[in-house]
Amino acid sequence: MTENRFIDYNPMKLDQEEMRSRASSFYEEMKTRRSIREFSEQTFHPEILENIIRTAGSAPSGANKQPWTFCVVTNPELKRKIRMAAEEEEHENYNGRMSDDWLRDLKPLGTNERKEFLENAPALIVVFKRIFEFIEDGKKHQNYYMSESVGIATGMLIAAIHHAGLCCLTHTPSPMNFLEKILDRPLNERAFLLIPVGLPAEDVLVPDIERKHIDDIRIHYI
């Protein structure tokens, strides 16, 4: 029987003041993050996205199965196909699938079924969750806590995108199985999120919204 292998952990060694400073500066950076729908066509070095995805891939996951795949789409023809399929689904959403309450909540954000950003953004990252893995002899091996694990990785992906000076949008056309077909993904993958990435267009505007106060999101048990 093989024993589990463990290695030394080498954490950062920071004093209290440096920890406070780093936590504060990271918050100040992240609170400027906004979702945008108007992207510049300016491209950026592929290594930037590679390291952003490396960061996402460092996320924790159930039993360390790392049940995610990040597909980077820069091909104009594929982006066009994705946009057309997404708009087809969104047309159905805005014209019958969504409840009146849902449409009312979306109205201040100015969203609609048109998704030009899927073509205009220089890159799309399509996040897939891996339901199971194929192992020897074509057998299936279960993955655990797929949605939770991929959700954590996606959060780290979004933070890394912002930290690199890029912008993105978390787009969730529903249903999203068209992405599996267009990108010819294997049977064990399910589309989780569609994220256009790039620099903002000139004079881009974002909705005037506020985040909840910390007292509304934190319960402190003493």
Side-chain angles (χ1 to χ4, degrees):
M1 185 175 182
T2 304
E3 292 185 4
N4 292 333
R5 181 172 177 267
F6 289 84
I7 60 175
D8 289 334
Y9 174 55
N10 298 302
M12 291 187 293
K13 296 180 180 179
L14 308 174
D15 59 35
Q16 290 287 325
E17 188 54 41
E18 189 169 1
M19 284 192 280
R20 289 176 60 192
S21 175
R22 287 167 66 96
S24 176
S25 63
F26 189 69
Y27 164 66
E28 291 297 325
E29 177 183 342
M30 292 307 300
K31 77 177 185 179
T32 66
R33 188 212 60 79
R34 294 298 303 269
S35 297
I36 67 166
R37 291 175 170 78
E38 298 174 53
F39 289 87
S40 165
E41 295 183 1
Q42 180 180 343
T43 58
F44 45 87
H45 199 286
E47 185 181 355
I48 298 171
L49 272 190
E50 182 174 320
N51 282 317
I52 285 169
I53 292 172
R54 286 177 188 270
T55 299
S58 72
S61 61
N64 193 39
K65 292 300 181 181
Q66 304 170 58
W68 44 63
T69 301
F70 301 94
C71 292
V72 179
V73 182
T74 57
N75 179 280
E77 183 179 346
L78 279 179
K79 288 195 295 180
R80 173 68 176 168
K81 287 181 179 179
I82 289 172
R83 175 188 173 181
M84 291 177 65
E87 288 186 339
E88 184 175 339
E89 295 295 347
E90 292 289 67
H91 176 79
E92 297 297 324
N93 289 335
Y94 279 88
N95 292 277
R97 287 179 183 161
M98 291 177 175
S99 67
D100 290 341
D101 285 343
W102 193 344
L103 292 171
R104 192 177 303 112
D105 287 339
L106 286 175
K107 191 172 182 179
L109 303 179
T111 63
N112 56 48
E113 63 191 63
R114 301 288 295 170
K115 308 300 175 186
E116 292 92 344
F117 51 77
L118 295 175
E119 281 192 272
N120 296 342
L124 305 178
I125 299 178
V126 188
V127 184
F128 289 91
K129 63 179 179 181
R130 303 172 68 93
I131 307 301
F132 56 86
E133 301 297 336
F134 290 109
I135 55 176
E136 63 276 0
D137 300 325
K139 294 181 180 178
K140 297 178 182 179
H141 192 281
Q142 181 181 357
N143 285 329
Y144 312 100
Y145 301 105
M146 289 85 66
S147 294
E148 294 87 345
S149 300
V150 177
I152 294 168
T154 301
M156 293 177 64
L157 178 82
I158 293 168
I161 289 169
H162 182 69
H163 186 66
L166 297 171
C167 295
C168 70
L169 173 69
T170 51
H171 183 44
T172 53
S174 180
M176 288 196 289
N177 56 341
F178 65 86
L179 291 166
E180 298 150 26
K181 297 175 183 177
I182 292 174
L183 299 179
D184 194 25
R185 301 310 305 155
L187 294 175
N188 63 329
E189 293 187 358
R190 302 289 184 273
F192 184 80
L193 205 59
L194 174 54
I195 306 178
V197 181
L199 292 164
E202 290 290 333
D203 301 321
V204 65
L205 298 175
V206 294
D208 184 11
I209 60 174
E210 294 182 0
R211 272 80 177 222
K212 290 182 178 179
H213 189 273
I214 188 170
D215 291 337
D216 296 322
I217 63 173
R218 176 203 57 192
I219 305 297
H220 191 178
Y221 294 89
I222 301 176

